[in-house]
Amino acid sequence: MTVLLEIPANLVEYIGYFGSFLTSITFLPQVYKSWQSKSVGDLSIWMIFIVLTSTIVWLVYAFAIHSGPVISANLVVLVLTLVLLYFKLTFPKK
Amino acid sequence: MTVLLEIPANLVEYIGYFGSFLTSITFLPQVYKSWQSKSVGDLSIWMIFIVLTSTIVWLVYAFAIHSGPVISANLVVLVLTLVLLYFKLTFPKK
């Protein structure tokens, strides 16, 4: 395979961890905004369902390959998305 | 390392592809809903910024490790998130 990017292996690993960290906190500002506004009408519940499903799939994958960063990232996403789902189901529609 | 899940290697790979697929389409229902409603007030722009940043970080990572599934998943997420950003910046606030 063609080498597309020549980055030291160590650095690649750190980049992966940074990506995992960012992915973990993706829904943090959304949870905060939704909590403040108590308004989630514009959020797609299908997006939430897809995130929940993908998180569970990724967790199975991550346990199978023993990937700590993928496990922890997806656990955080799972919790934040469950909070969003709770908001979506309980906040009054406007 | 403890083997937490005993899944055949082939199957693990397919689970990874399925996770990539689901992650790719995460923002598809959100783009559709936002396009239909022309309303994105409840969406956190910080969520969008974090997704954009993480996507770029993952793309660097994926090119470095030559991971086709991670590259393609993140390209799709990048495009869908740019569409959401465009909506967020152009749809009138309600």
Side-chain angles (χ1 to χ4, degrees):
Chain A
M1 206 187 245
T2 321
V3 176
L4 297 167
L5 272 183
E6 285 281 13
I7 301 178
N10 260 2
L11 184 56
V12 169
E13 204 179 332
Y14 288 125
I15 293 170
Y17 279 110
F18 186 49
S20 294
F21 169 73
L22 288 174
T23 296
S24 306
I25 61 166
T26 296
F27 292 105
L28 200 59
Q30 184 62 61
V31 164
Y32 178 77
K33 183 184 176 76
S34 300
W35 173 252
Q36 290 280 341
S37 66
K38 303 284 185 286
S39 173
V40 289
D42 294 339
L43 283 187
S44 164
I45 198 163
W46 288 104
M47 175 184 75
I48 295 173
F49 284 148
I50 292 178
V51 175
L52 287 177
T53 312
S54 71
T55 305
I56 291 162
V57 171
W58 281 124
L59 281 173
V60 173
Y61 178 79
F63 274 108
I65 67 166
H66 312 111
S67 169
V70 181
I71 291 172
S72 49
N74 279 283
L75 282 178
V76 177
V77 173
L78 184 64
V79 170
L80 291 173
T81 315
L82 284 172
V83 174
L84 280 184
L85 180 64
Y86 175 76
F87 288 171
K88 186 75 187 170
L89 295 177
T90 57
F91 286 168
K93 289 188 182 178
K94 288 177 185 172
Chain B
M1 208 186 247
T2 321
V3 175
L4 298 167
L5 271 182
E6 286 280 13
I7 301 177
N10 259 2
L11 184 55
V12 169
E13 204 179 332
Y14 287 124
I15 293 170
Y17 279 111
F18 185 48
S20 294
F21 170 73
L22 288 174
T23 296
S24 305
I25 61 166
T26 296
F27 292 104
L28 200 58
Q30 185 62 62
V31 165
Y32 178 77
K33 184 184 176 77
S34 300
W35 173 251
Q36 289 281 340
S37 66
K38 304 283 185 287
S39 173
V40 289
D42 294 340
L43 282 186
S44 164
I45 199 164
W46 288 103
M47 174 185 75
I48 294 173
F49 283 148
I50 292 178
V51 175
L52 286 177
T53 312
S54 72
T55 306
I56 291 163
V57 172
W58 281 124
L59 280 173
V60 172
Y61 178 79
F63 274 108
I65 67 166
H66 311 111
S67 169
V70 182
I71 292 171
S72 49
N74 279 283
L75 282 178
V76 177
V77 173
L78 183 64
V79 170
L80 291 172
T81 315
L82 284 172
V83 174
L84 281 183
L85 180 64
Y86 176 76
F87 288 172
K88 186 75 187 169
L89 297 176
T90 58
F91 286 168
K93 288 187 181 178
K94 287 175 185 172

